Amino acid sequence: MRKQLFVMGVALLLCSVLLFGYGTASAADATQNTSAAPAQEADASASVTESVTVTVPFLEEWMGSPHADAASEAFRHWDEEDPAEIPVECAKCHSSTGFQDFVGADGSDEGVVDAAVAPGTVVDCVACHNSGTINKDSVTMPSGLVLTNLGDESRCMECHQGRESKISVDQAITDVGVDLDTVSEELRFRNIHYYAAAATKYGTLAKGGYEYDGLAYDGNFKHVAGYETCIGCHNSHTLEVKLEECAECHDDVEEIENVRDVRMAGSTVDYDGDGDLEEGIFYEVEGLQGALFAAIQAYASEVAGSPIAYDPAAYPYFFADANANGAPDEGEEGFAAWTPRLLKAAYNYQTSIKDPGSYVHGGKYIIQLLFDSMTDLNTAITEQVDMTAMHRIDSGHFAG
């Protein structure tokens, strides 16, 4: 009897060994991301050591993206500060640590960065893929308005939303307490900040632009099914536009620059008044930008009493144009003769510039902001911009 039990025990042990070996091999074959190292025989107490190779999905794609550029100004701006730290108001978008703090992935309260963080991180995998983002589907915009039921694009929108809004511009104007055309030394330019694509796309639902009271503005720009979100149009790891998919409907789109030539079939009026009804919406926006800046310059000289120049790449962007040559020169200081009316128009001009893809993200909304800013400035200047051939809206696609 004892012999039979012994034999059965040996058999069961052999079966267990075989099953364990088979199961391990099958798992390794299925995942192709683990490899077993030979057991190291040192002494009777030595344990079996295994090395594990982890495969990171989309690593190569991400490494070529701006999110991975550890040397860029977006991540190194604070290196020479004293102390060298990214402040709480910047850390959410300029460090992985700050973003994880903001979404509560580090165990802290959601919706706030609790402390400044050290420079040196980027927007890495764990910034967007963690316990705080897994069920995230809403975003609070700088205006205080909350956009819900967003899905995964909410992760993109936390940083690509800008930092100012109509509400903050109005508050700044209220705080100084002067009328529309009075210069105030206390008034400062309000910068929407960079790549605020979500503010453009969601239009009046976000109120990222300065919307003039009493006028209607476009809301969320929905393109076509499957291409209505950030990640519907952009590769979420490389950040590049899915150009080949654009070409399925837009025959002439072979390079990213070709997107500028796209004009929806229902866009039937001349928005910038140059007589060209065939040009892409990019060029309509560009034309309106040029006209608005001419109105800004006329107003600054005529009403504010200080010529103005602009440089999109140099803070504080608007400069006192001492020699009135139309361009910022070395030694010219930041523009300081702000009036409430001028601030509104300059804010919208900057909003249109700082989202390079605004013509795609929400072209109609941007057109409305530029058009309305010109209209408002024209009421206060004698050298008015001729807007007779311009259009704010039409009855086609852009009246959606």
Side-chain angles (χ1 to χ4, degrees):
M1 180 67 176
R2 291 181 178 176
K3 184 177 181 180
Q4 290 177 335
L5 290 173
F6 175 77
V7 172
M8 292 176 63
V10 171
L12 288 171
L13 179 60
L14 288 172
C15 287
S16 298
V17 172
L18 288 171
L19 287 171
F20 179 80
Y22 178 78
T24 302
S26 297
D29 291 342
T31 60
Q32 296 183 358
N33 66 355
T34 61
S35 59
Q40 298 178 350
E41 297 181 4
D43 53 44
S45 63
S47 61
V48 175
T49 303
E50 291 187 350
S51 65
V52 178
T53 302
V54 178
T55 299
V56 181
F58 309 109
L59 178 61
E60 185 176 349
E61 291 90 337
W62 169 81
M63 288 179 67
S65 77
H67 279 174
D69 186 1
S72 74
E73 176 72 7
F75 302 120
R76 309 310 317 190
H77 178 78
W78 301 268
D79 287 1
E80 304 303 322
E81 298 292 322
D82 185 18
E85 61 182 22
I86 306 175
V88 292
E89 60 268 25
C90 305
K92 177 182 79 167
C93 299
H94 293 275
S95 72
S96 177
T97 309
F99 194 79
Q100 291 177 69
D101 184 344
F102 183 83
V103 298
D106 61 354
S108 65
D109 290 338
E110 182 182 348
V112 63
V113 176
D114 298 293
V117 304
T121 62
V122 293
V123 179
D124 55 20
C125 304
V126 74
C128 296
H129 302 282
N130 57 60
S131 60
T133 59
I134 189 78
N135 294 314
K136 180 176 175 57
D137 71 345
S138 65
V139 169
T140 301
M141 301 298 285
S143 62
L145 295 172
V146 180
L147 304 178
T148 60
N149 300 317
L150 298 171
D152 289 343
E153 74 165 339
S154 61
R155 307 176 197 188
C156 314
M157 291 171 59
E158 279 295 356
C159 291
H160 294 282
Q161 59 173 241
R163 294 185 59 189
E164 300 282 350
S165 67
K166 169 181 169 57
I167 283 72
S168 62
V169 173
D170 273 338
Q171 186 60 56
I173 292 171
T174 299
D175 289 345
V176 300
V178 298
D179 65 38
L180 282 174
D181 299 309
T182 297
V183 173
S184 171
E185 294 181 355
E186 298 177 14
L187 202 56
R188 295 290 181 268
F189 177 64
R190 312 291 292 197
N191 179 33
I192 191 171
H193 208 50
Y194 310 106
Y195 300 110
T200 305
K201 185 182 186 306
Y202 281 87
T204 194
L205 301 181
K207 293 198 178 336
Y210 187 83
E211 300 176 10
Y212 290 83
D213 294 340
L215 297 173
Y217 291 86
D218 199 45
N220 180 20
F221 175 61
K222 293 185 176 181
H223 191 181
V224 294
Y227 302 94
E228 300 173 328
T229 67
C230 307
I231 57 179
C233 294
H234 292 265
N235 182 300
S236 56
H237 297 102
T238 67
L239 310 184
E240 294 176 349
V241 176
K242 299 176 182 177
L243 205 59
E244 292 183 0
E245 297 179 37
C246 297
E248 292 180 10
C249 293
H250 303 290
D251 297 336
D252 296 330
V253 174
E254 297 179 356
E255 300 177 355
I256 191 63
E257 290 76 13
N258 299 147
V259 177
R260 297 180 174 186
D261 297 319
V262 173
R263 185 184 184 98
M264 301 299 287
S267 303
T268 59
V269 299
D270 181 13
Y271 303 99
D272 63 358
D274 67 354
D276 189 347
L277 293 175
E278 302 297 326
E279 64 183 357
I281 296 303
F282 169 87
Y283 298 103
E284 296 282 8
V285 169
E286 186 178 60
L288 288 168
Q289 287 171 332
L292 174 56
F293 188 64
I296 287 173
Q297 289 180 305
Y299 180 95
S301 296
E302 185 179 328
V303 180
S306 175
I308 195 171
Y310 176 77
D311 185 342
Y315 180 85
Y317 313 107
F318 290 94
F319 295 85
D321 189 12
N323 58 12
N325 69 347
D329 298 306
E330 186 175 353
E332 291 182 337
E333 298 180 349
F335 187 82
W338 293 106
T339 72
R341 193 188 305 274
L342 183 57
L343 177 61
K344 295 175 185 180
Y347 176 83
N348 277 345
Y349 181 75
Q350 175 85 333
T351 296
S352 74
I353 296 289
K354 289 303 175 182
D355 177 11
S358 66
Y359 63 102
V360 174
H361 298 143
K364 174 187 171 183
Y365 184 65
I366 294 297
I367 284 171
Q368 291 168 341
L369 296 178
L370 297 172
F371 186 97
D372 294 344
S373 297
M374 269 186 286
T375 300
D376 187 52
L377 289 176
N378 267 352
T379 64
I381 57 179
T382 55
E383 293 184 29
Q384 295 182 346
V385 173
D386 184 2
M387 300 179 64
T388 54
M390 297 180 187
H391 291 79
R392 183 181 191 270
I393 196 171
D394 65 14
S395 58
H397 172 77
F398 267 26

